[in-house]
Amino acid sequence: MIVADRKSLEEILAMVQEKHKILIVGCRGCVTVCNVGGEKEVEILEASINLARKTSDQPIEIETVTIERQCDNEYVAQLKEGINTYDAVVSLACGVGPQFLSEAYPDQLFFPGVNTTFFGGAVSHGVWEERCQGCGTCIIHHFDGLCPVARCAKSLLHGPCGGSSDGLCEVSKETLCIWDMIVKKKMEQGRLNDLLTVMEAKDWRSARDGGPRRSIREELIP
Amino acid sequence: MDEYKSGSNLEKILRAGHFAFTGECGPPKGANVDHLKKKFAHLKGMVDAVNITDNQTAVVRMSSLAASHLLVHEGMEPNFQMVCRDRNRLAITSDILGAHALGIRNMLCLSGDHQSFGNHTQAKNVHDIDSMQLIRLVTNMRDKGRFMNDEEIDVPPRLFVGAACNPFADPFEYRVYRLANKITAGADFIQTQCIFNMEKFRTFMHQAVDMGLTEKCFILAGVTPMKNLGMANFMAKFVPGMDIPDALKKRLKGVEKAKQAEEGICFALEQIEEFKQMEGVAGVHLMAIEWEHKVPEIAERAGVLPRPKV
């Protein structure tokens, strides 16, 4: 799923500083699962902004709504009524959400309430980790299902680099060296030969480097 | 056409079977050419080639290409270092062509320390290709006369191509295979990371010899003289992939502070003596970090002077 972190209250307060009436829109998709932009978090943000504005003697009117998915125009359309009655709208969806909203309602101002971080999952309660970079050409079958493009700090296709130490990456003691994992798995399972080749340079056209991407499925186009 | 791949001095020395002795020099944090030339002067006649580092530890410095060119102007031979962190394949390729055009004949292919270690930690890193693919890219340019996209090159660059190897990173059992892969990719020579753990290095070299790697590639053992105990502690703590045994720290600690530099040099000299005898080791790469003025003394005492002419 797409993982995000809530922006700091200070940053959100600065965005809505001059506003008197705002709407906070949550999303029931990924950001609900990673506990950052669902119904509960919308309520928390509402209370926090209200309190901060009251304390600074600049009360604000806040309404809230959480829709099924902000990345789907069918659900975005549900906001149509009254959307232009607010001074601004804060979206707690991933970066896709406020953009779908901005495109659907060009007369309104939309602010992001979260920082979208990565594609990943929860490895333990409260801890999410990156697993995929969306490079557009998956090659993890070469690496026993582990992705060095997303998980090696240098995206090496022939690791581990000289900074790998005790199974950890040189950039942080909190980060596992994915190449250590790949190599150990190959060695344990007697498939080291898989790694003794020089891979072709990756074709980054399918990644963001090729420009903004589009996915077309002819069979679904009416 | 001669038999040499690039005809560099380093290539000639190694092919003639001499024990090679290379040095290293970091370009300045600025455009201070005078200071750089002073550092070069210490190395002149002392080493077969000088590695010119490329924004080492991700700290921005004068470009390794420009500094390598300045070294050529001084009548010396650079080993132009290139990291994959800062350049995509276009920049890499054009810098390789430029290097050849400027009279540079050796190049060392590296991934590069992560930018989080340096002084521009906010930078976006590139890593379009990795060091293994860089070796392949530059050797294909030289040997096949082709760019990475398979287009033909009008006058291919001729470079003697090196790669790095850190026998002390983990997992240790895999290190010799990674070395093998760099040789498969096309590396002509290898310069190892600074060696302090001699026991581990002996094991590593046994493996490399057993696998026949030392017959396919020249391996230069990395030596860095310690200036003092503080340097040893700093490197152990902050430089990625360093293996500094307690015994060495103890040895430095065992002498008074003013004599620690001499003790560090003595350890380096003992290492060099052993490397001269060690099967599969074709030379030493001396990385006297910001200590270039000590190189003449170390070279003299190591008995590697005068440098052979081929």
Side-chain angles (χ1 to χ4, degrees):
Chain A
M1 68 172 158
I2 295 176
V3 181
D5 293 328
R6 234 287 303 280
K7 278 185 178 289
S8 71
L9 182 61
E10 291 69 34
E11 195 179 351
I12 297 172
L13 285 173
M15 288 179 199
V16 300
Q17 197 178 8
E18 307 291 324
K19 313 300 176 195
H20 304 290
K21 186 183 178 191
I22 63 168
L23 173 71
I24 301 174
V25 189
C27 176
R28 291 204 177 89
C30 307
V31 289
T32 290
V33 185
C34 69
N35 305 80
V36 75
E39 223 155 316
K40 200 174 93 197
E41 292 78 24
V42 166
E43 278 172 30
I44 293 169
L45 181 63
E46 178 195 17
S48 307
I49 296 176
N50 260 329
L51 182 65
R53 290 287 290 256
K54 266 183 200 156
T55 311
S56 61
D57 214 17
Q58 294 171 295
I60 184 169
E61 193 183 329
I62 305 178
E63 286 180 22
T64 64
V65 60
T66 297
I67 63 173
E68 202 57 30
R69 282 194 302 277
Q70 290 189 31
C71 57
D72 191 328
N73 280 325
E74 190 185 326
Y75 299 109
V76 168
Q78 294 169 355
L79 297 173
K80 196 171 179 188
E81 206 151 311
I83 191 80
N84 288 329
T85 64
Y86 304 97
D87 296 336
V89 179
V90 175
S91 162
L92 287 189
C94 72
V96 178
Q99 297 194 59
F100 265 62
L101 297 177
S102 294
E103 288 166 43
Y105 307 110
D107 295 334
Q108 183 54 282
L109 271 179
F110 294 92
F111 299 139
V114 306
N115 292 318
T116 308
T117 47
F118 51 77
F119 305 152
V123 290
S124 59
H125 202 67
V127 180
W128 287 265
E129 278 183 3
E130 182 167 18
R131 289 292 181 269
C132 177
Q133 194 171 293
C135 72
T137 310
C138 193
I139 51 171
I140 64 175
H141 50 293
H142 294 299
F143 310 111
D144 288 10
L146 300 168
C147 181
V149 176
R151 299 177 69 186
C152 167
K154 303 173 185 175
S155 294
L156 300 185
L157 295 187
H158 307 83
C161 78
S164 176
S165 180
D166 289 330
L168 299 174
C169 172
E170 68 177 31
V171 304
S172 159
K173 295 257 178 284
E174 307 290 311
T175 307
L176 294 176
C177 170
I178 192 65
W179 268 105
D180 188 85
M181 288 169 70
I182 295 168
V183 163
K184 281 186 178 153
K185 194 169 169 185
K186 294 274 189 197
M187 288 181 113
E188 278 162 18
Q189 299 179 2
R191 282 178 291 103
L192 193 58
N193 275 341
D194 294 356
L195 297 177
L196 302 184
T197 55
V198 182
M199 296 191 72
E200 289 288 315
K202 198 162 160 55
D203 182 347
W204 294 106
R205 281 177 297 187
S206 60
R208 174 63 187 75
D209 308 84
R213 290 169 280 177
R214 221 172 174 210
S215 197
I216 299 169
R217 297 241 222 106
E218 297 289 353
E219 74 276 17
L220 297 178
I221 298 172
Chain B
M1 197 167 159
D2 58 44
E3 58 185 310
Y4 292 120
K5 290 182 175 177
S6 83
S8 74
N9 181 55
L10 180 61
E11 182 182 14
K12 287 176 180 169
I13 294 275
L14 286 167
R15 292 212 186 277
H18 295 298
F19 190 77
F21 195 63
T22 55
E24 186 158 308
C25 190
K29 273 173 89 173
N32 193 339
V33 175
D34 291 339
H35 178 69
L36 185 61
K37 284 184 178 173
K38 275 182 196 137
K39 292 210 290 182
F40 288 164
H42 297 303
L43 298 167
K44 194 161 189 176
M46 304 295 144
V47 293
D48 304 317
V50 180
N51 282 41
I52 302 293
T53 51
D54 183 13
N55 289 335
Q56 73 270 27
T57 62
V59 171
V60 76
R61 289 166 184 279
M62 180 192 290
S63 84
S64 58
L65 181 59
S68 294
H69 180 54
L70 291 168
L71 190 78
V72 171
H73 260 269
E74 297 301 303
M76 297 165 71
E77 180 165 294
N79 181 16
F80 165 49
Q81 292 195 184
M82 185 187 281
V83 299
C84 298
R85 178 194 59 227
D86 307 332
R87 301 169 178 85
N88 67 7
R89 65 191 76 180
L90 278 86
I92 283 172
T93 306
S94 67
D95 276 355
I96 289 168
L97 294 173
H100 174 89
L102 294 171
I104 293 158
R105 292 294 178 266
N106 305 302
M107 173 177 151
L108 192 75
C109 303
L110 305 162
S111 301
D113 294 318
H114 193 265
Q115 70 274 14
S116 57
F117 290 97
N119 65 351
H120 286 72
T121 52
Q122 305 90 336
K124 183 169 179 170
N125 62 15
V126 183
H127 299 296
D128 175 15
I129 59 173
D130 65 16
S131 60
M132 205 72 72
Q133 293 162 333
L134 175 57
I135 299 166
R136 176 76 25 114
L137 177 151
V138 61
T139 51
N140 276 349
M141 286 174 77
R142 178 191 68 199
D143 300 335
K144 297 183 179 167
R146 301 256 169 202
F147 290 112
M148 193 175 239
N149 65 1
D150 213 33
E151 279 176 27
E152 210 169 311
I153 303 173
D154 176 19
V155 184
R158 293 181 64 201
L159 293 157
F160 192 48
V161 176
C165 158
N166 184 3
F168 310 103
D170 290 322
F172 177 68
E173 317 81 62
Y174 183 65
R175 288 292 143 186
V176 76
Y177 292 102
R178 190 154 191 263
L179 168 65
N181 218 10
K182 288 194 174 182
I183 297 168
T184 304
D188 301 309
F189 70 97
I190 297 289
Q191 289 172 318
T192 77
Q193 180 62 279
C194 316
I195 300 158
F196 299 105
N197 185 339
M198 291 297 279
E199 203 178 316
K200 206 166 193 179
F201 187 68
R202 287 178 203 117
T203 308
F204 177 79
M205 281 310 297
H206 273 303
Q207 295 172 338
V209 170
D210 286 347
M211 284 171 66
L213 302 181
T214 55
E215 286 161 31
K216 299 177 191 160
C217 185
F218 301 104
I219 297 180
L220 277 63
V223 173
T224 287
M226 288 291 188
K227 295 176 187 176
N228 49 48
L229 181 64
M231 177 175 170
N233 287 331
F234 177 85
M235 286 180 84
K237 202 168 171 191
F238 296 109
V239 182
M242 284 288 158
D243 179 354
I244 300 172
D246 288 339
L248 175 59
K249 287 189 214 161
K250 222 173 178 175
R251 183 170 162 180
L252 292 168
K253 211 174 175 176
V255 297
E256 55 184 284
K257 209 171 173 194
K259 290 184 178 161
Q260 284 177 359
E262 172 58 22
E263 198 60 31
I265 289 176
C266 284
F267 179 70
L269 293 171
E270 290 161 24
Q271 288 184 294
I272 296 171
E273 268 324 295
E274 184 172 344
F275 292 140
K276 285 181 188 170
Q277 310 301 326
M278 196 180 284
E279 191 180 359
V281 174
V284 158
H285 176 51
L286 182 68
M287 292 164 272
I289 304 162
E290 291 305 313
W291 225 21
E292 289 86 357
H293 64 278
K294 282 283 182 187
V295 172
E297 180 195 327
I298 295 168
E300 180 65 42
R301 291 170 67 187
V304 296
L305 297 180
R307 295 309 307 148
K309 301 261 180 250
V310 183

